[in-house]
Every structure is written in C-alpha cells, then in structure tokens.
Amino acid sequence: MERIYLDNNATTPVDPGVFAAMRPYLEHACGNPSSSHALGREAAWAVARARRQVADLLACEPDEVVFTSGGTESDNAALFSAHFSPLCPRPGKRRIVTTRVEHPAVHDLCRRMAEQGCDVVFLDVDERGLPDLDAYTRALTPDTALVSVMWANNETGVLLPVAEMAARARDRGILFHTDAVQAVGKVPVDLSAAPVDLLSLSAHKFHGPKGVGALFVRRSCPFHPHFLGGGQEQGRRPGTENVPGIVGLGAACEIAGQRMAANMERVRSLRDRLERGLIADIPGARVHGKEAPRLPNTANISFADVPARDLVRRLDEQGLCVSSGAACHAGSPEPSRVLAAMRVPAPLALSAVRFSLSRLTTAEEVDAAILHVTRAVDQAMTRTRGT
Ligand code: PLP
C-alpha cells in the first residue's frame, strides 16, 4: 500500500541532503569536539559550521545558538533559566505570562510553576486563536519575569503576533521566550526584526533528524543552565555534543533557507486545494483558525458527527497518515485544549483532524487524500445512521 504522509507537524522525513551531510559523522568522523586530536577538531569544526547555518537562518549571531536535544528541552531550559535568574523579581512575586494554547512543553511547566507559587497568567485567545493585545499589555506588570508565547500553533498553524508582543515586553524590560518549533524552517523567522530574547526550535519539524534542536539566547539575555556538567556550549548546555544530529540540524536550516519562499507558496496552494476539496465534498466540514494568519502547511478540520479518532483509524487503514490533534496527545479522549480555548464546542473539537503538509507533498497526494477522507466520512456517517 502506498502511504500518504500528511502528519508533518508531528515529524517530517529527513531530507536526503541532510542525511548525506550527517553520514560521515555516523561513520568515520567519530571524534568528540572536546578532543584535541584531528578527529576531535574535525567534529568541532562541523559543530561550528552548523552553528553558523542555524544563525544564518534566524539572522542572529552563531554564539547565540545553544544546541539541545530538541524543542522540549529548549522550552524547559528557557523557562527554568528565567525562573531561576537572579534578575527575576523577588520570590513569590515572579509572574510568567503565557497563553492557553502553548505546547505541553511550555504549558505543563507553567502549570507546575503555578502550583509551586509562581504567578502565571494564561492569556485567553479568541475564536481565531489569537490573544487580545490589550489584555496582554495589562498583564505585563513590573514583577513579570518572563513572557512565553509560541510563534505558530502546532494544532491549527495559527501564527501569533510574536514580534509585536516581544516589542511590548522589551519596552518594559521583560524577557520574552517564543516556542518557534513549528515555525522555523517553514516561514521566515528573523531575529534581527523580532526582539525576542529566547527562541526554541527543533530539527525534526523541518526535515532534520529527531532528538536535536537549539535554543537561541540573545547576547544581552542572562542565562542560567538547567543541567550541570561539562563546559560544552559555553557552559550553557553540558554533555557531549550530538555531532551527527547537530550537523543534520545545520544542513536542514541551510536547505530550508534556500527554498523558503518558493516552498511556502507551493505548500500553501496545496493546503488550500485540500481545504477547498474537503469543504466542497463534505457537508459540515469546518476549518479551525482560518480567520487568522496561519502556517502555509496546516489545516485543522472538523467533520461534524464523525469522531476524529475513528476517522484517523479508518484513514490509516487506507494508507493516509493524519492526526486527531497534536501527536503527543493524539490518544487522549478529551477535546483539544487548543480548540477549547478557541471556543470550539466539544463535539466539534472531538471531530477535528489535523492535516499537515510539507515541501515533499505532491498534488496527487492531496487529491488522493480528498478522496480518502470523503469516502471515510461517508462510511462513518452511513454507519452512524445505521443504513
Ligand atoms: N513545541 C511545539 C510547538 C511542538 O509542536 C513540539 C513538538 O510537537 C515541541 C515543542 C516539542 O519538540 P520536540 O519534539 O523536539 O521535543
């Protein structure tokens, strides 16, 4: 069975150019970058080149890039750093401002911090998935230590107004972190224009390998490492570097940067074709987040009366890989927290399926996906009606 993969917000296939770049570091170029011999120097050089490739994509300085094990670690490192920073206001008066639609790597840590006495403000979003900027500005009190707002939502693709929010935090001397895991490599992320202090990214969301990512830490931003150990990454992230992974991340950044504008347009037109096809063929199909600026690759669509879990299973049997929400909680019977925050009624939220395309998706795959979904919804409705 030919599989069609439309679950690229969960993870993406590794680009052949990325694989080729990594290969020597999985074979003979086995040195530890801290070793002073030739193989060590070769590994250190490869890590330095990858750091420049990441910095070039983000328009920042190489020494502002800290390699990590992925998005989750970067998010945790950013929040822990700000939480324990001596620059934070007095204990018990530390405020963190975030939104209700963050990935669990931020949301659950913020909830934990709230349980431990931290004053955490979870901003509401409207039906479009966007926070109210006046309410946000009111939340930025003098004892606010950090803001953490995602660049792009993983379930709906909605792009939050991060540059504007970061500017308002900067005006008040408040650190700003953004989880840009779903944005980097898909849309321009320009740190020379957005005054964010900390930014998380993850290689496997844009055709790099799994288990490697980076945290951007602006030179002016105080940083307190969460892990203690060796002096790697200028003491900001100890542990022997994942050299093949870091090389893969660097290559993924370079490739994404080269083809960004053309890929965005192509992927957007395929995503729109998918949405148009499904809306035309399936009565009651509703797209979530389409009134807001969105990633070009993501479509989150409810098919009224058809539980998403059943639909995803049926589609899987037909060879179409999609998701009934974020990959990390796709098994959950609860309606998505993100859709609930957007005031999508629970029955509709429970029928929401996420389709996420990539630059490797073809028009033929999109057309086949429309047929698969239309047939699967039809079968499910027939069954429900008992006919
Ligand atoms: N943040 C967002 C918005 C994500 O979508 C994900 C992964 O789904 C993560 C963080 C976690 O990234 P990683 O899988 O690299 O730990």
Side-chain angles (χ1 to χ4, degrees):
M1 178 172 45
E2 280 282 299
R3 287 212 170 266
I4 301 174
Y5 186 72
L6 296 186
D7 199 14
N8 289 280
N9 284 10
T11 195
T12 54
V14 169
D15 185 288
V18 170
F19 181 65
M22 292 174 67
R23 192 166 181 158
Y25 300 93
L26 292 160
E27 292 178 338
H28 49 275
C30 63
N32 182 327
S34 300
S35 301
S36 55
H37 49 65
L39 284 180
R41 288 196 303 278
E42 185 181 356
W45 177 85
V47 169
R49 185 185 52 181
R51 206 182 299 283
R52 277 196 307 278
Q53 289 167 314
V54 177
D56 285 349
L57 183 67
L58 302 178
C60 69
E61 298 299 329
D63 66 1
E64 295 178 313
V65 174
V66 179
F67 291 117
T68 67
S69 66
T72 301
E73 183 189 328
S74 296
D75 285 343
N76 275 259
L79 268 68
F80 272 107
S81 170
H83 189 58
F84 292 112
S85 163
L87 297 187
C88 281
R90 288 82 47 208
K93 290 191 104 184
R94 292 180 186 150
R95 171 171 279 202
I96 294 185
V97 177
T98 185
T99 77
R100 292 200 184 281
V101 295
E102 300 299 312
H103 186 272
V106 168
H107 186 80
D108 290 7
L109 181 52
C110 283
R111 278 182 37 191
R112 173 77 63 86
M113 286 174 164
E115 281 161 20
Q116 292 180 357
C118 194
D119 170 21
V120 184
V121 177
F122 294 92
L123 294 170
D124 289 325
V125 296
D126 60 19
E127 283 84 352
R128 299 169 302 166
L130 296 172
D132 177 78
L133 288 183
D134 291 334
Y136 166 65
T137 310
R138 282 195 300 277
L140 300 179
T141 50
D143 58 359
T144 304
L146 177 76
V147 177
S148 183
V149 174
M150 69 197 328
W151 196 294
N153 185 266
N154 44 307
E155 294 186 36
T156 59
V158 167
L159 293 162
L160 286 90
V162 160
E164 174 60 29
M165 296 175 89
R168 293 186 190 199
R170 168 75 52 96
D171 287 347
R172 290 159 182 79
I174 297 167
L175 294 181
F176 191 98
H177 166 250
T178 182
D179 174 345
V181 165
Q182 291 292 346
V184 170
K186 296 180 188 164
V187 292
V189 171
D190 180 353
L191 289 170
S192 68
V196 313
D197 300 292
L198 299 147
L199 174 144
S200 306
L201 64 93
S202 180
H204 75 105
K205 304 293 187 179
F206 59 107
H207 305 288
K210 295 171 182 57
V212 61
L215 178 67
F216 158 78
V217 183
R218 201 174 286 281
R219 277 182 187 163
S220 55
C221 176
F223 185 73
H224 299 263
H226 181 40
F227 295 156
L228 299 178
Q232 291 91 346
E233 298 297 291
Q234 298 176 33
R236 294 178 294 186
R237 203 286 191 172
T240 302
E241 296 87 340
N242 168 7
V243 179
I246 289 170
V247 167
L249 168 59
C253 286
E254 187 172 323
I255 294 169
Q258 285 161 355
R259 306 176 193 153
M260 175 91 62
N263 284 330
M264 277 173 62
E265 264 335 289
R266 220 188 120 260
V267 171
R268 188 191 309 281
S269 90
L270 289 178
R271 190 271 315 269
D272 292 350
R273 179 183 181 130
L274 176 73
E275 286 185 353
R276 273 198 309 274
L278 293 176
I279 287 166
D281 290 352
I282 304 173
R286 183 175 142 189
V287 182
H288 302 294
K290 74 173 189 313
E291 309 305 335
R294 267 189 303 165
L295 289 173
N297 79 319
T298 309
N300 188 313
I301 310 182
S302 280
F303 303 98
D305 302 330
V306 181
R309 291 173 77 187
D310 294 352
L311 191 54
V312 169
R313 190 183 38 76
R314 271 173 205 279
L315 292 172
D316 184 33
E317 285 162 11
Q318 296 176 26
L320 175 60
C321 302
V322 293
S323 141
S324 59
C328 13
H329 60 257
S332 156
E334 293 291 307
S336 138
R337 163 170 57 77
V338 172
L339 295 182
M342 293 166 70
R343 302 170 187 69
V344 176
L348 209 54
L350 284 167
S351 76
V353 174
R354 180 184 69 183
F355 303 86
S356 45
L357 286 60
S358 86
R359 62 175 187 246
L360 305 179
T361 307
T362 64
E364 292 71 35
E365 288 177 320
V366 166
D367 291 343
I370 296 169
L371 287 177
H372 283 312
V373 178
T374 309
R375 188 168 54 211
V377 170
D378 210 43
Q379 284 167 352
M381 302 283 274
T382 310
R383 233 179 111 126
T384 313
R385 282 192 224 107
T387 50

